[in-house]
């Protein structure tokens, strides 16, 4: 004879089954949570490593860029200082810069189309040839600085991509 009467046996079996399912669910949920926590911790560590690599790459690229631009500026400043040697006063006196050249140069520097040429463009602008040479040299200096900036940006982008790998 059993200790539990017949009608209560089913209830006991249902309660036992519910307890077993609950125990399995709690154990399974704890295991899944542990896996989740480990994955989050691993991702956090990987992100920290990537951030460190990116920061190091940024410092390297910026340092190289600053050094290269310094060299470009020094060379450009030296060239500009040499304008009077290459374009002496006699050349300034012998060459007339007309207004058309000045307008054309300014439009090209601004990246715009110049207005149509007119009679006034033939007149002297009162600008010395040496001043034009200095302006052109300064424009090229700026161009080279921009080129170095673009090279540094391209290098930085490549470094950021490789830091992720």
């Amino acid at each position: 004879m059993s200790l539990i009467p017949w009608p209560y046996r089913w209830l006991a079996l249902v309660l036992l089954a519910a307890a077993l399912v609950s125990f399995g669910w709690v154990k399974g949920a704890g295991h899944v949570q542990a896996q989740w926590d480990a994955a989050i911790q691993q991702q956090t560590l990987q992100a920290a490593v990537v951030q460190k690599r990116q920061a190091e790459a940024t410092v390297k690229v910026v340092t190289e860029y600053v050094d290269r631009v310094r060299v470009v500026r020094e060379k450009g400043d030296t060239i500009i200082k040499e304008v009077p040697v290459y374009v002496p006063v006699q050349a300034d006196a012998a060459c007339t810069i007309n207004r058309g050249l000045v307008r054309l140069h300014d439009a090209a520097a601004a990246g715009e189309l110049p207005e149509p040429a007119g009679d006034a463009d033939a007149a002297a602008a009162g600008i010395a040839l040496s001043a034009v040479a200095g302006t052109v040299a300064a424009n090229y200096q700026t161009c080279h600085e921009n080129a170095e900036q673009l090279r540094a940006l391209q290098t930085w982008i490549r470094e950021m991509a490789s830091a992720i790998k």
Side-chain angles (χ1 to χ4, degrees):
M1 190 155 161
S2 82
L3 297 174
I4 302 175
W6 175 251
Y8 294 108
R9 285 184 192 168
W10 285 106
L11 179 61
L13 284 173
V14 167
L15 289 175
L16 179 63
L20 288 175
V21 167
S22 296
F23 178 74
W25 182 82
V26 168
K27 286 298 267 181
H31 178 70
V32 169
Q33 184 65 45
Q35 287 178 327
W36 176 265
D37 292 342
I40 294 296
Q41 184 178 13
Q42 180 66 25
Q43 288 176 352
T44 302
L45 290 173
Q46 288 173 343
V49 168
V50 168
Q51 288 174 343
K52 181 180 180 228
R53 286 184 196 153
Q54 288 178 335
E56 290 169 352
T58 298
V59 168
K60 177 185 168 209
V61 169
V62 168
T63 302
E64 290 173 0
Y65 164 72
V66 168
D67 289 343
R68 288 193 311 254
V69 167
R70 183 184 47 76
V71 169
V72 167
R73 284 189 184 146
E74 288 172 359
K75 287 180 181 178
D77 291 345
T78 300
I79 291 169
I80 292 169
K81 287 177 189 174
E82 294 294 317
V83 167
V85 174
Y86 290 93
V87 185
V89 177
Q90 298 86 356
D92 279 341
C95 182
T96 304
I97 306 299
N98 67 1
R99 289 185 181 153
L101 175 68
V102 174
R103 283 191 332 112
L104 184 64
H105 176 271
D106 292 348
E112 300 173 355
L113 294 173
E115 296 292 324
D119 292 337
D121 288 331
I127 297 175
L129 181 60
S130 58
V132 172
T135 299
V136 169
N139 288 348
Y140 280 121
Q141 178 183 10
T142 301
C143 176
H144 290 295
E145 289 175 11
N146 290 342
E148 288 300 334
Q149 184 177 23
L150 179 57
R151 282 186 201 99
L153 178 59
Q154 290 169 333
T155 301
W156 181 80
I157 289 169
R158 282 191 298 274
E159 292 287 333
M160 292 300 107
S162 69
I164 294 171
K165 295 178 183 177

